[in-house]
Amino acid sequence: MIRLLIFAVLAMVILASAVAAVCTTRIMRAATFLLFTLFGIAGIYFLLDYTFLGTVQLAIYAGGVTVLYVFAINVVNKNTLQGLLEQLDKRKIVAGGLASLVGLIMLVFVFLKAKFMSIPTETGVDIDAQTLGNIMMGSGKYQYILPFEFISVFLLACIIGGIVIARKEDKK
């Protein structure tokens, strides 16, 4: 019963923070609400006894990605951010609503087709940290070292691009 109550509180925090992150007009507040959303998701992982995923959620997303967003916000010149307020257009609202509805229909279709709800909760398979590390950082089939390296090169290119953009604005 207590787990259900904790789940309900975390779900309300996640939903409220996500809606607030999308609806606010202040970019730093949006980053802060995103941080609360990511903390709530980590809480859900810990509640499900997925301590590794919860720790990864806290370390990478709540820590690293949010710091990256705040850094990117602070690097961008305030003059660049001024005048970016958009007027609400009914065509954009209708198009966004239709796109969301199509996405929801596709999601429900995938859930029903894959029968996720019929998967038993206890698989009986216990994966230790050594096996998980070998799977994540191995170079064989169905192992993830190559995508990890591509992402690291991509992030390095983003950092270099941010530095180049910041240096160009200093020369003006």
Side-chain angles (χ1 to χ4, degrees):
M1 182 65 183
I2 191 74
R3 292 174 71 92
L4 183 62
L5 181 66
I6 293 171
F7 174 79
V9 169
L10 285 172
M12 286 189 294
V13 167
I14 291 169
L15 287 174
S17 298
V19 169
V22 172
C23 293
T24 186
T25 58
R26 306 249 175 155
I27 195 158
M28 290 301 285
R29 287 184 185 168
T32 304
F33 287 130
L34 175 67
L35 179 66
F36 289 148
T37 304
L38 295 173
F39 276 143
I41 293 170
I44 295 284
Y45 285 140
F46 285 123
L47 185 67
L48 293 171
D49 292 329
Y50 292 146
T51 55
F52 179 76
L53 287 177
T55 306
V56 168
Q57 178 76 18
L58 287 176
I60 294 176
Y61 291 109
V65 173
T66 306
V67 168
L68 181 68
Y69 284 159
V70 171
F71 177 73
I73 291 166
N74 288 329
V75 166
V76 174
N77 192 355
K78 289 182 182 179
N79 295 332
T80 308
L81 291 176
Q82 291 176 354
L84 290 181
L85 296 176
E86 288 188 24
Q87 299 294 329
L88 289 179
D89 187 12
K90 290 182 181 181
R91 290 178 289 161
K92 289 182 182 178
I93 293 172
V94 170
L98 287 175
S100 299
L101 184 64
V102 168
L104 179 66
I105 290 170
M106 288 173 55
L107 182 69
V108 168
F109 177 74
V110 167
F111 269 105
L112 294 175
K113 184 76 173 169
K115 299 179 184 175
F116 286 123
M117 300 303 173
S118 65
I119 296 173
T121 57
E122 292 295 326
T123 59
V125 177
D126 189 22
I127 298 177
D128 60 343
Q130 178 78 25
T131 306
L132 184 62
N134 288 336
I135 291 170
M136 295 300 286
M137 293 300 160
S139 60
K141 188 175 182 181
Y142 303 120
Q143 294 180 339
Y144 297 102
I145 191 67
L146 190 61
F148 179 77
E149 289 299 324
F150 280 140
I151 291 171
S152 65
V153 170
F154 176 70
L155 289 175
L156 178 64
C158 291
I159 291 170
I160 292 171
I163 291 170
V164 168
I165 290 171
R167 291 192 67 133
K168 283 184 180 178
E169 289 186 11
D170 287 341
K171 291 179 183 179
K172 289 182 180 179

